[in-house]
Amino acid sequence: MSDAAKFSLSGKDVEFPVMSGSVGPDVVDIRKLYAQTDAFTYDPGFTSTASCQSKLTYIDGDEGVLLHRGYPIGELAEQSSFMEVAYLLLNGELPGSAELGTFSRTITRHTMVHEQLATFFRGFRRDAHPMAIMCGVVGALSAFYHDSTDIRDPEQRIIASHRLIAKMPTLAAMAYKYSVGQPFLYPDNSLSYTGNFLRMTFGVPAEPYEVNPAVEKAMDRIFILHADHEQNASTSTVRLAGSSGANPFACIAAGIACLWGPAHGGANEAALNMLREIGTPERIPEFIARAKDKNDPFRLMGFGHRVYKNYDPRATVMQKTVREVFDALKVNDPLFETALRLEELALNDDYFVEKKLFPNVDFYSGVILSAIGFPTSMFTVLFAIARTVGWVAQWNEMITDPDQKIGRPRQLYTGPTQRTYLPVEQR
Ligand code: ACO
């Protein structure tokens, strides 16, 4: 801890401790503010509030830096695998090869889901959004795995975490298969985490499926890029749900619900839809003008970020991955050219420069995912698969944090003051 913060309210002077992390802004510890001053703080959207201490992920939004347990995202995306990043986030250190082998085998052995879950899927309409299905089926895991819902037992917490990471791709592939009317495919334990997911999604029982190594690598990298992102809306939702003691499957279902929103995980779907609507580069100025118009609710999707006021480091990797996937699949989607041109024009436009609006991770991911063959409705589901790693790691960290309490924000009440009830005939 460093200096104290001095604060004066209604003639009363109080001091609050200032806490320093290993890197990043200090925080003023205001836990005693209400007791000492009878006042709350007001911070809708938590723009100046640290809700917890965490050792997992560090973001410097001004510099465009993202570190997981100290490792830069660019290095992880280039050199590691999603399983390695999952291990790192859960355990704090990169695994040795034996540890990685054991971890990957453990995850692989949990990839099957209870057979009865297949019947659960059949209750949904065929045109249900896969995120609607995911909210339901992931929450339903609580009803299938009673032996890993006691959050006070560290062993059960680990099993639940492994189950969630392992079963998400299976459930996601099932949601996809259900929407296109094809049979579900069981996992194949001879494949990698990502290869297995691609096969369960795009394979059919009638013929062998060969995993394209370039697509597998690109998909694995996309999972790495989405694995964790500090205290974002869905992670905070998972922590808040978990703070009441709710079981991990229910907490992750809450995170999925939050992720679905277009301002969060739904943005890559919205970004690709926007690129399709723009169509050709000639129409870009019209859309930039709309994004700048105060009277038009339109925003450039895939642009801007609450934390990054610089280029999102994940967008850099994503842009490079687009080219790799296009080369591997021998495709060339003209929307990529539109995206590149839109980025160039926006980055040279005063409005976007002044407001520090840069492409975020979602700007290019839609173009890649679409080239791989995913319908837009699956984009947020893919995000949810990857983010499950961050969610469970953050949830585990929260459960073991001695400062952890049930999350219970207060409010600035602006409604009527106390009044007397009048029976209906007297109103
Ligand atoms: N297009 C046009 N203007 C924008 C955009 C955009 N994409 N994003 C922000 N602005 C403008 C706002 O109109 C606002 O202008 P004002 O100060 O004149 O009122 C200013 O920039 C600040 O925007 P806020 O919404 O206050 O910033 P906030 O931090 O709350 O929002 C957010 C961040 C939600 C990501 C926003 O930039 C946005 O809506 N972007 C588009 C959606 C998107 O891409 N979301 C993905 C986020 S990344 C992720 O979840 C993985």
Side-chain angles (χ1 to χ4, degrees):
M1 291 204 194
S2 44
D3 282 341
K6 296 183 177 48
F7 181 74
S8 180
L9 185 71
S10 313
K12 200 170 172 189
D13 294 325
V14 278
E15 284 195 1
F16 299 108
V18 175
M19 299 163 74
S20 299
S22 42
V23 58
D26 289 347
V27 304
V28 182
D29 177 356
I30 54 150
R31 279 176 288 184
K32 296 213 165 68
L33 176 75
Y34 180 52
Q36 293 183 0
T37 66
D38 261 346
F40 295 136
T41 55
Y42 181 63
D43 187 16
F46 305 108
T47 50
S48 295
T49 298
S51 61
C52 61
Q53 298 189 38
S54 180
K55 292 184 167 59
L56 270 79
T57 293
Y58 172 72
I59 304 174
D60 182 334
D62 293 327
E63 296 298 323
V65 170
L66 167 61
L67 309 176
H68 290 319
R69 303 278 193 186
Y71 296 102
I73 189 67
E75 289 179 24
L76 292 171
E78 286 294 333
Q79 298 173 50
S80 78
S81 67
F82 182 61
M83 277 299 95
E84 225 184 323
V85 173
Y87 184 98
L88 173 69
L89 285 166
L90 280 171
N91 299 292
E93 294 299 332
L94 283 168
S97 54
E99 288 160 324
L100 181 60
T102 308
F103 179 71
S104 302
R105 272 191 299 282
T106 307
I107 297 296
T108 303
R109 294 215 176 101
H110 279 298
T111 47
M112 286 208 304
V113 293
H114 194 289
E115 197 60 19
Q116 217 169 319
L117 262 169
T119 355
F120 203 95
F121 273 82
R122 297 203 169 91
F124 286 98
R125 286 170 55 128
R126 288 276 173 191
D127 63 355
H129 195 289
M131 282 299 274
I133 298 183
M134 292 303 281
C135 288
V137 293
V138 174
L141 292 176
S142 337
F144 288 88
Y145 300 103
H146 298 292
D147 58 345
S148 57
T149 51
D150 180 355
I151 65 157
R152 287 157 307 177
D153 178 350
E155 189 63 30
Q156 291 200 30
R157 289 202 300 269
I158 291 173
I159 296 172
S161 304
H162 292 166
R163 278 181 169 151
L164 276 156
I165 293 169
K167 292 181 200 308
M168 282 295 283
T170 313
L171 294 172
M174 288 169 88
Y176 172 70
K177 285 298 190 200
Y178 187 71
S179 73
V180 291
Q182 290 180 3
F184 298 146
L185 255 63
Y186 288 113
D188 176 346
N189 285 0
S190 68
L191 298 174
S192 71
Y193 182 88
T194 304
N196 192 20
F197 169 63
L198 289 169
R199 182 188 153 274
M200 285 190 291
T201 306
F202 297 120
V204 287
E207 54 192 54
Y209 177 81
E210 227 172 274
V211 179
N212 179 326
V215 173
E216 184 182 15
K217 188 161 175 267
M219 198 66 231
D220 202 70
R221 189 181 286 163
I222 292 169
F223 283 154
I224 294 175
L225 294 179
H226 289 88
D228 190 48
H229 211 228
E230 209 226 55
Q231 307 310 319
N232 57 86
S234 57
T235 301
S236 297
T237 302
V238 169
R239 279 186 178 256
L240 193 58
S243 76
S244 72
N247 76 69
F249 304 105
C251 294
I252 302 307
I256 293 172
C258 177
L259 185 72
W260 194 0
H264 192 7
N268 53 9
E269 184 175 343
L272 186 70
N273 288 338
M274 176 194 75
L275 289 173
R276 284 186 178 140
E277 200 188 335
I278 296 175
T280 51
E282 305 83 71
R283 293 192 65 207
I284 293 172
E286 177 195 327
F287 282 82
I288 289 193
R290 281 187 62 195
K292 289 157 61 173
D293 182 354
K294 279 255 163 267
N295 300 315
D296 189 331
F298 174 78
R299 285 184 168 199
L300 278 193
M301 299 313 287
F303 254 78
H305 197 275
R306 169 61 61 78
V307 182
Y308 293 117
K309 303 302 168 198
N310 200 325
Y311 212 98
D312 179 343
R314 301 167 302 170
T316 317
V317 183
M318 211 49 111
Q319 198 203 74
K320 191 173 156 238
T321 311
V322 179
R323 292 193 198 282
E324 286 172 13
V325 168
F326 281 11
D327 288 348
L329 297 176
K330 299 187 178 49
V331 294
N332 191 13
D333 186 344
L335 284 189
F336 182 43
E337 296 312 318
T338 306
L340 286 171
R341 184 79 185 124
L342 175 58
E343 176 187 327
E344 189 189 331
L345 289 178
L347 293 184
N348 286 302
D349 188 294
D350 287 349
Y351 174 93
F352 292 88
V353 173
E354 273 160 27
K355 294 190 189 300
K356 298 187 176 161
L357 299 169
F358 292 84
N360 60 49
V361 67
D362 293 318
F363 189 63
Y364 288 107
S365 61
V367 182
I368 308 179
L369 298 174
S370 166
I372 294 176
F374 291 103
T376 46
S377 59
M378 278 296 285
F379 291 1
T380 318
V381 177
L382 304 172
F383 192 159
I385 294 176
R387 187 53 58 87
T388 295
V389 163
W391 288 334
V392 296
Q394 299 262 359
W395 173 80
N396 275 292
E397 187 181 57
M398 181 201 67
I399 301 284
T400 50
D401 181 349
D403 281 349
Q404 191 267 323
K405 282 171 182 277
I406 183 168
R408 179 44 172 105
R410 300 305 300 267
Q411 62 173 9
L412 177 66
Y413 177 68
T414 55
T417 52
Q418 186 166 328
R419 44 187 170 163
T420 305
Y421 174 83
L422 280 183
V424 68
E425 58 281 4
Q426 291 175 33
R427 276 176 236 154

